[in-house]
């Protein structure tokens, strides 16, 4: 039986808000009762499907108003938004430093995470309803029922893990709330929240299959349970939350605030040991169950002797399938809201209607295709000075696969992931035309405030590239590999052969050479953080890496842009460049406070009196 991942025949419930009457209302508005919902397997599946449906989603859609329909990447050092519409989170709350606990009106919802107003507690609620009532289902197959209960536990764990990374310790609801129940849910500590999520993952893993069949694609697996546990343990063990030094002065008050936002009062290496054990658990499962692997390129190039070779575009398309295509060997956790290929049109609208774009700071971090670092002091006034192989984006090549107007052919000179994350000057974008990254572009027009680059990931190059059922690949196998390498490096005091092999596998998938041998723990850590920047653009990874590693420079370094001018207005392929400051500036440049590591708790939630408290620096 294939579990439908969208609610069918059941009206969705209102968003759960702790402390409100809504917390104790029935989860359905169609008039159905618990007895009727669990009368048949088919009806009960609707409850479980609702838990799936309300899981967090990372792409702009009507599912929620996160960031005011903007993207989390806009508040990292990777991307700048110039949306400037009422309620836009990056411009109204983050760049100006105006975010706080008293946001209301149109601005409410512009936060990266607004505790009490997101969908996480709704998913949690449906999960507990299923767990507490599934045994009522007549004639349910015991093995299948155990599996579905495990799926419900995973939905709860994912919702809490999402909350945890933005908030720290949160009230842990371990049952469905009854109408006559006292609304008293004190905030749990950071450590308790970690252990709660890990316990759910461990329990779920016992009754989940390692992988699913094609017709069941999208359902939770044992690999997802262990992968999520590894992610959460790495986050908790990271320096911001696992240190002798509090990450914010307010966090030094252990009893009143610190215990909610730090794992302990002193560095605890055993946290990294636990993460390493989770990595081993995943790899043991992989050895026995197989299936999961990085999506690899299919060679299409043919040399003069008739031998096939892998082109830069082959690498790029393999990377594209890894994040974009459902059902690949790389997809660990896949969240679906719709099968319509138009569901993500709001991502296109952000780039079409506003001057948004990737920063030069990020673009400069992508190495050349041979692995040589791109120079920070690149001579943008003379971009051809280093010879064709050192052109910043493309080199003329009569055999190149990159074509403009079906006559100009070029070959990419940089890490293939650059082109799939970012539309660079001269690349085809969205509709098969050269992207309007240059100031004199026409049809489509250049948007003021553009950084000289556009988002490419999830938008891609042609309409046909988006003509597939969308999903949010919340976790890819590539992340598991890099998380495992991180855990090994930190637990062992430096990288071993396994840690190198896992990172090098991610690099080899796009044709990059292996990392240099003999790195120290700190050197390998920095290389790993960079690899995550190159691999996971627009996948809601960079923000949490900035937070958990305490990357203050990523917040405070001034962001740069390229002013790009084309030698013609339509489909320009050669340009002049001028480095300038990205607009708008951010208050963080001169006035950064580590309070930004965790989101403020809305005052309206604290005032409900059920037990939530404020995060450091936001009083």
């Amino acid at each position: 039986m294939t579990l439908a991942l969208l609610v069918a025949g059941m009206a969705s419930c209102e968003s759960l808000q702790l402390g409100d009457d809504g917390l104790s209302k029935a989860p359905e508005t169609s008039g159905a009762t618990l007895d009727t919902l669990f009368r048949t397997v088919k009806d009960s599946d609707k409850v479980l499907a609702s838990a799936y449906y309300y899981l967090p989603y990372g792409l702009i859609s009507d599912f929620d108003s996160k960031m005011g329909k903007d993207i989390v990447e806009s508040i990292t050092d990777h991307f700048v938004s110039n949306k400037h519409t009422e309620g836009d989170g990056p411009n109204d709350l983050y760049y100006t430093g105006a975010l706080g606990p008293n946001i209301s009106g149109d601005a409410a919802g512009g936060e990266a995470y607004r505790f009490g107003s997101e969908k996480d507690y709704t998913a949690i609620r449906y999960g507990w309803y299923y767990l507490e009532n599934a045994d009522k289902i007549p004639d349910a197959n015991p093995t299948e029922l155990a599996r579905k209960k495990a799926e419900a536990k995973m939905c709860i764990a994912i919702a809490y893990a999402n909350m945890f990374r933005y908030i720290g310790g949160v009230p842990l609801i371990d049952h469905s709330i009854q109408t006559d129940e006292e609304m008293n849910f004190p905030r749990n500590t950071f450590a308790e929240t970690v252990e709660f999520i890990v316990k759910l993952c461990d329990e779920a893993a016992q009754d989940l299959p390692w992988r699913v069949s094609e017709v069941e694609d999208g359902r939770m697996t044992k690999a997802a349970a262990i992968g999520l546990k590894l992610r959460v343990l790495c986050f908790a063990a990271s320096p911001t939350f696992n240190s002798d030094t509090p990450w914010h002065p307010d966090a030094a008050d252990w009893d009143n605030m610190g215990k909610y936002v730090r794992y302990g009062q002193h560095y605890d290496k055993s946290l990294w040991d636990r993460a390493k054990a989770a990595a081993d658990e995943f790899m043991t499962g992989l050895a026995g169950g197989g299936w999961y692997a990085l999506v690899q390129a299919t060679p299409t190039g043919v040399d003069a002797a008739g031998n096939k070779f892998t082109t830069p575009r082959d690498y790029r398309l393999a990377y594209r399938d890894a994040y974009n295509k459902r059902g690949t060997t790389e997809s660990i956790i896949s969240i679906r809201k719709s099968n319509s290929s138009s569901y993500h049109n709001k991502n296109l609208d952000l780039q079409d209607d506003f001057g948004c774009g990737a920063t030069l700071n990020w673009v400069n971090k992508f190495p050349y295709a041979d692995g040589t670092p791109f120079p920070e002091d690149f001579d943008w006034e003379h971009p051809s000075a280093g010879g064709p192989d050192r052109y910043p984006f493309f080199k003329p090549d009569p055999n190149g696969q990159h074509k403009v107007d079906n006559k100009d052919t070029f070959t990419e000179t940089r890490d293939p992931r650059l082109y799939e994350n970012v539309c660079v000057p001269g690349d085809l974008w969205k509709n098969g035309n050269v992207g309007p990254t240059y100031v004199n572009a026409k049809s489509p027009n250049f948007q003021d405030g553009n950084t000289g680059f556009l988002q490419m990931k999830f938008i891609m190059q042609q309409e046909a590239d988006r003509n597939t059922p969308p999903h949010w690949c919340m976790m890819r196998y590539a992340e598991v590999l890099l998380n495992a390498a991180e855990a090994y490096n930190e637990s062992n005091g430096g990288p071993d052969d396994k840690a190198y092999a896992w990172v090098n596998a991610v690099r080899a998938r796009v044709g990059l050479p292996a990392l240099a041998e003999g790195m120290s723990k700190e050197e390998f850590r920095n290389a790993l953080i960079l690899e995550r920047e190159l691999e996971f653009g627009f996948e809601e990874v960079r923000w949490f890496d900035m937070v958990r590693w305490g990357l203050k420079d990523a917040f405070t370094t001034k962001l740069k842009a390229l002013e790009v001018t084309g030698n013609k207005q339509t489909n320009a392929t050669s340009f002049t460049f001028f480095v300038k400051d990205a607009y708008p500036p951010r208050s963080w440049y001169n006035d950064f406070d580590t309070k930004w590591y965790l989101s403020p708790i809305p005052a309206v939630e604290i005032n409900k009196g059920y037990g939530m408290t404020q995060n450091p620096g936001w009083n």
Side-chain angles (χ1 to χ4, degrees):
M1 189 281 298
T2 301
L3 176 67
L5 296 182
L6 294 177
V7 181
M10 175 179 174
S12 62
C13 76
E14 62 187 298
S15 178
L16 174 129
Q17 298 182 23
L18 287 178
D20 282 350
D21 290 340
L23 183 64
S24 56
K25 291 180 181 177
E28 67 286 331
T29 58
S30 62
T33 66
L34 289 177
D35 287 339
T36 57
L37 283 171
F38 290 91
R39 181 177 54 196
T40 67
V41 170
K42 182 178 180 180
D43 286 334
S44 66
D45 280 348
K46 297 172 185 176
V47 178
L48 182 55
S50 295
Y52 268 97
Y53 178 75
Y54 285 104
L55 292 177
Y57 201 67
L59 297 175
I60 304 174
S61 69
D62 287 328
F63 176 68
D64 60 29
S65 62
K66 179 171 60 177
M67 304 233 73
K69 301 295 177 69
D70 213 316
I71 56 177
V72 173
E73 209 80 10
S74 292
I75 58 173
T76 74
D77 55 342
H78 285 180
F79 198 78
V80 173
S81 171
N82 270 290
K83 191 177 178 187
H84 293 303
T85 59
E86 192 170 18
D88 179 65
N91 287 279
D92 290 353
L93 302 178
Y94 289 84
Y95 300 166
T96 61
L99 182 66
N102 296 302
I103 302 300
S104 61
D106 290 334
E111 303 98 328
Y113 195 92
R114 183 175 177 83
F115 181 79
S117 298
E118 308 292 347
K119 304 292 197 303
D120 291 319
Y121 275 116
T122 307
I124 291 165
R125 187 184 197 189
Y126 277 118
W128 284 121
Y129 266 107
Y130 189 86
L131 286 169
E132 293 172 351
N133 293 280
D135 288 335
K136 300 177 181 178
I137 306 169
D139 302 322
N141 178 284
T143 301
E144 185 66 16
L145 185 60
R147 176 183 174 180
K148 290 178 181 178
K149 286 182 177 180
E151 292 179 34
K153 289 179 180 179
M154 273 301 295
C155 290
I156 296 170
I158 289 172
Y160 271 122
N162 185 56
M163 216 183 307
F164 165 69
R165 292 199 296 172
Y166 282 110
I167 300 298
V170 294
L172 298 173
I173 310 300
D174 60 0
H175 62 284
S176 60
I177 308 303
Q178 304 303 309
T179 56
D180 58 351
E181 187 169 342
E182 181 182 359
M183 297 298 118
N184 179 30
F185 303 101
R187 185 176 190 177
N188 288 81
T189 68
F190 190 96
E192 288 170 342
T193 304
V194 172
E195 300 309 317
F196 188 80
I197 297 168
V198 168
K199 183 174 183 288
L200 285 168
C201 291
D202 284 340
E203 291 176 355
Q206 296 177 26
D207 293 310
L208 289 172
W210 176 248
R211 57 161 295 195
V212 295
S213 64
E214 182 178 353
V215 296
E216 296 176 318
D217 181 50
R219 292 180 68 171
M220 296 298 170
T221 63
K222 183 175 183 178
I226 302 172
L228 182 65
K229 178 170 71 170
L230 174 59
R231 174 193 277 185
V232 169
L233 288 174
C234 283
F235 188 86
S238 298
T240 294
F241 307 109
N242 179 27
S243 172
D244 293 327
T245 305
W247 58 268
H248 189 278
D250 290 355
D253 184 351
W254 178 254
D255 290 331
N256 292 321
M257 187 172 289
K259 63 184 178 182
Y260 301 118
V261 296
R262 302 167 59 199
Y263 202 94
Q265 298 184 70
H266 302 287
Y267 172 74
D268 184 356
K269 178 183 172 295
S270 70
L271 296 178
W272 283 116
D273 296 340
R274 291 181 67 192
K276 179 184 175 184
D280 287 338
E281 184 182 2
F282 188 97
M283 297 307 166
T284 299
L286 182 64
W291 176 250
Y292 299 101
L294 297 172
V295 177
Q296 299 295 337
T298 300
T300 63
V302 181
D303 64 19
N307 300 310
K308 282 194 171 184
F309 65 91
T310 306
T311 69
R313 182 162 182 81
D314 295 335
Y315 288 125
R316 174 177 176 174
L317 294 181
Y319 175 62
R320 176 184 296 177
D321 281 351
Y323 74 81
N324 180 64
K325 188 176 180 180
R326 292 183 179 185
T328 69
T329 57
E330 194 156 341
S331 181
I332 303 290
I333 300 178
S334 171
I335 310 298
R336 289 93 182 274
K337 305 298 178 189
S338 171
N339 286 326
S340 171
S341 60
S342 66
Y343 191 70
H344 295 158
N345 281 352
K346 288 181 172 58
N347 278 74
L348 278 69
D349 294 343
L350 180 67
Q351 294 283 250
D352 265 343
D353 299 339
F354 307 100
C356 305
T359 65
L360 182 61
N361 309 59
W362 184 32
V363 169
N364 282 349
K365 293 182 180 181
F366 288 86
Y368 284 108
D370 63 4
T372 304
F374 187 80
E376 289 189 19
D377 60 349
F378 183 81
D379 186 357
W380 289 101
E381 291 186 11
H382 306 93
S384 62
D389 287 337
R390 291 299 180 252
Y391 283 8
F393 306 119
F394 300 100
K395 65 178 179 180
D397 182 355
N399 298 313
Q401 291 191 350
H402 178 81
K403 296 181 176 64
V404 176
D405 290 341
N406 293 317
K407 57 183 180 181
D408 297 329
T409 56
F410 304 89
T411 293
E412 297 88 340
T413 59
R414 305 275 290 278
D415 180 340
R417 293 173 294 189
L418 168 61
Y419 306 93
E420 193 57 27
N421 277 287
V422 176
C423 179
V424 301
D427 206 357
L428 305 181
W429 181 73
K430 182 193 166 185
N431 54 9
N433 293 321
V434 170
T437 62
Y438 50 106
V439 296
N440 57 333
K442 298 291 183 183
S443 187
N445 293 327
F446 176 84
Q447 295 286 352
D448 288 339
N450 176 266
T451 61
F453 307 100
L454 293 163
Q455 177 182 350
M456 182 71 84
K457 187 174 278 187
F458 303 114
I459 292 175
M460 298 178 280
Q461 296 174 289
Q462 306 276 3
E463 183 177 354
D465 296 331
R466 300 183 296 276
N467 192 25
T468 55
H471 77 142
W472 172 245
C473 196
M474 177 181 283
M475 181 177 291
R476 296 196 276 119
Y477 179 60
E479 183 191 342
V480 173
L481 291 178
L482 297 187
N483 286 346
E486 175 183 302
Y488 261 63
N489 183 56
E490 300 296 330
S491 176
N492 294 342
D496 64 2
D497 290 345
K498 287 183 179 179
Y500 271 110
W502 291 327
V503 178
N504 289 339
V506 175
R507 294 170 60 82
R509 188 258 293 281
V510 290
L512 291 184
L515 293 175
E517 295 285 345
M519 290 185 178
S520 67
K521 181 176 81 168
E522 290 71 24
E523 290 169 337
F524 189 83
R525 176 194 294 171
N526 291 334
L528 188 56
I529 290 173
L530 174 59
E531 199 64 37
R532 294 170 69 89
E533 285 195 77
L534 308 180
E535 180 72 19
F536 299 121
F538 301 103
E539 296 183 52
E540 295 194 351
V541 170
R542 178 59 174 171
W543 172 259
F544 297 112
D545 282 354
M546 289 166 60
V547 167
R548 68 191 183 98
W549 290 108
L551 303 180
K552 185 178 178 180
D553 287 351
F555 289 93
T556 60
T557 298
K558 289 186 178 180
L559 302 179
K560 297 295 182 179
L562 274 186
E563 182 176 296
V564 184
T565 304
N567 67 350
K568 58 181 180 178
Q569 291 186 334
T570 303
N571 285 1
T573 57
S574 63
F575 308 90
T576 58
F577 304 104
F578 175 75
V579 178
K580 62 179 183 179
D581 290 337
Y583 182 84
R586 301 184 182 184
S587 65
W588 292 338
Y589 295 164
N590 302 310
D591 187 27
F592 180 70
D593 188 318
T594 56
K595 69 179 184 181
W596 291 93
Y597 289 170
L598 293 181
S599 297
I601 308 302
V604 294
E605 285 298 314
I606 295 174
N607 293 339
K608 289 173 184 177
Y610 56 79
M612 191 57 183
T613 63
Q614 190 52 270
N615 274 333
W618 294 109
N619 288 317

